[in-house]
Amino acid sequence: MEKYIHPNANKSSNLLRLSALLTLVAYFLFSVIRITNILIHTRLFIIIARKSSPVMIATLITISLLIGAAYLIRRSNNWVRWVLLVLFILGVSLDVFLIPSEFKLGLANGCFAILQDIIQLVVVLLLFIPYKVTQVTSRPIGTIEP
């Protein structure tokens, strides 16, 4: 089976990695602030564990999806762009309701959420820009392209 590389595949893959990194930074930055506030006000470690576990699981799933999609894009899997489009539409439709609550938690929370949405929009747009097909050919190692 021949694979075709989209010219924007590397850019899209790098932007998805950046989005995964921002997800990780937001988790540690904003969750630690919330956990510290809970610890100061309640001094109960059980509340911290119960409130942070679902957030940690959701963050790990999100990072796994983003890095997995970045890897598959670099491996020239064209179907990934359709999966990303569906996930982006679902995410943006949920963000319409969630972003106001993110801004209530803090300005930085809302800005991070909007920044990630913008990055993921750019990824989807880059992958759907029409392109001229470039065929990937296998050459023995050490040979120079003519």
Side-chain angles (χ1 to χ4, degrees):
M1 180 177 178
E2 296 178 6
K3 292 189 176 186
Y4 298 97
I5 297 176
H6 193 290
N8 295 324
N10 288 339
K11 294 175 198 170
S12 298
S13 178
N14 289 339
L15 286 172
L16 282 174
R17 291 178 185 180
L18 175 64
S19 184
L21 180 67
L22 286 176
T23 301
L24 190 64
V25 167
Y27 171 75
F28 282 112
L29 186 65
F30 303 128
S31 293
V32 168
I33 291 170
R34 283 188 225 129
I35 289 171
T36 305
N37 288 340
I38 291 170
L39 183 60
I40 289 171
H41 295 302
T42 63
R43 300 197 187 273
L44 293 175
F45 292 99
I46 297 169
I47 293 175
I48 294 170
R50 286 188 182 160
K51 288 200 175 197
S52 64
S53 289
V55 174
M56 181 177 18
I57 291 169
T59 302
L60 288 174
I61 290 171
T62 301
I63 291 171
S64 299
L65 285 172
L66 290 170
I67 298 227
Y71 173 76
L72 291 171
I73 288 169
R74 281 194 187 258
R75 300 280 301 160
S76 306
N77 290 309
N78 196 26
W79 58 268
V80 177
R81 67 184 182 153
W82 294 102
V83 172
L84 285 174
L85 178 66
V86 169
L87 290 175
F88 178 75
I89 291 170
L90 289 173
V92 168
S93 62
L94 288 174
D95 280 348
V96 170
F97 302 107
L98 295 177
I99 286 192
S101 65
E102 289 289 333
F103 276 109
K104 287 180 184 175
L105 291 172
L107 180 64
N109 287 30
C111 290
F112 261 78
I114 289 175
L115 180 63
Q116 286 177 325
D117 284 344
I118 291 170
I119 289 172
Q120 291 168 11
L121 172 66
V122 170
V123 167
V124 170
L125 290 177
L126 283 174
L127 290 175
F128 278 95
I129 291 175
Y131 63 96
K132 182 179 176 184
V133 173
T134 306
Q135 186 174 357
V136 177
T137 57
S138 300
R139 294 187 311 270
I141 296 175
T143 60
I144 299 174
E145 186 176 329

